[in-house]
């Protein structure tokens, strides 16, 4: 199974009048999402599933990919790493899954996959980490780590 963890792009800062789930991407974040979405689209198989947190900023990030996606309440800010893996059906799934979500959860998922513990690893905004596990008896492989500023415009 292939699992891609994609952190949302740069979003406007939170404040008392704006609920966290309603924070939108900044103009820079819109560019990051489109740039990373273009790269991901060129790498992903046609039959992949894209699962997105219901937050405005993650939905806008996913829209940069230009493919159909589904929002999942279980992926909202504050989700547990295990909930992310369960939503993706990791490692039993047969199709590639892209999760568009938040820190610190995505960094914790990355750490859990590679070390067995949900450590607080930092993921760059708009960054994507690509994990592969073909056989449950084989180790998880980190196939790629990509940031929006490395993608050729």
């Amino acid at each position: 199974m292939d699992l891609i963890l994609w952190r949302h792009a740069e979003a406007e800062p939170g404040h008392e009048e704006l609920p966290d789930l309603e924070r939108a991407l900044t103009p820079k974040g819109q560019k990051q999402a489109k740039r990373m979405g273009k790269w991901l689209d060129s790498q992903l198989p046609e039959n992949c599933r894209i699962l997105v947190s219901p937050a405005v900023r993650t939905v806008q990030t996913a829209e940069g990919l230009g493919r159909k996606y589904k929002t999942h309440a279980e992926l909202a800010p504050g989700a547990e790493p295990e909930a992310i893996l369960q939503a993706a059906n990791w490692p039993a799934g047969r199709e590639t899954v892209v999760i568009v979500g938040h820190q610190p959860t995505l960094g914790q998922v990355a750490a859990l996959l590679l070390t067995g513990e949900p450590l607080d690893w930092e993921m760059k905004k708009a960054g994507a980490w690509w994990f592969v596990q073909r056989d449950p008896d084989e180790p998880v492989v980190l196939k790629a780590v990509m940031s929006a500023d490395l993608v050729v415009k």
Side-chain angles (χ1 to χ4, degrees):
M1 176 177 185
D2 288 40
L3 176 65
I4 295 93
L5 304 176
W6 186 13
R7 184 179 177 191
H8 68 78
E10 182 182 274
E12 58 191 7
H15 51 82
E16 288 182 18
E17 296 85 36
L18 182 66
D20 184 53
L21 290 179
E22 294 180 22
R23 292 173 45 218
L25 295 182
T26 64
K28 177 181 178 181
Q30 291 282 354
K31 290 177 187 172
Q32 290 173 329
K34 286 178 185 172
R35 193 175 303 145
M36 182 59 76
K38 183 177 177 182
W39 179 81
L40 282 169
D41 188 52
S42 73
Q43 304 298 314
L44 293 170
E46 288 299 318
N47 66 340
C48 71
R49 287 189 309 138
I50 299 145
L51 308 177
V52 182
S53 158
V56 169
R57 61 193 179 275
T58 50
V59 169
Q60 290 176 323
T61 298
E63 288 171 349
L65 183 56
R67 294 190 186 197
K68 292 182 181 180
Y69 59 86
K70 291 185 180 179
T71 58
H72 283 268
E74 307 86 33
L75 307 179
E80 293 296 322
E82 295 80 8
I84 303 292
L85 295 175
Q86 184 175 3
N89 194 26
W90 175 272
R94 295 189 179 265
E95 59 194 350
T96 298
V97 176
V98 177
I99 301 284
V100 185
H102 308 272
Q103 275 298 94
T105 305
L106 292 183
Q108 292 167 350
V109 172
L112 182 60
L113 291 174
L114 294 176
T115 71
E117 295 186 40
L119 305 169
D120 287 329
W121 286 3
E122 184 64 29
M123 287 185 73
K124 191 171 184 175
K125 290 179 184 173
W129 291 33
W130 192 317
F131 298 91
V132 178
Q133 187 173 36
R134 298 286 179 240
D135 184 313
D137 296 327
E138 296 292 323
V140 174
V141 174
L142 179 58
K143 180 176 178 176
V145 174
M146 182 59 103
S147 66
D149 57 343
L150 292 177
V151 177
V152 178
K153 295 178 186 179

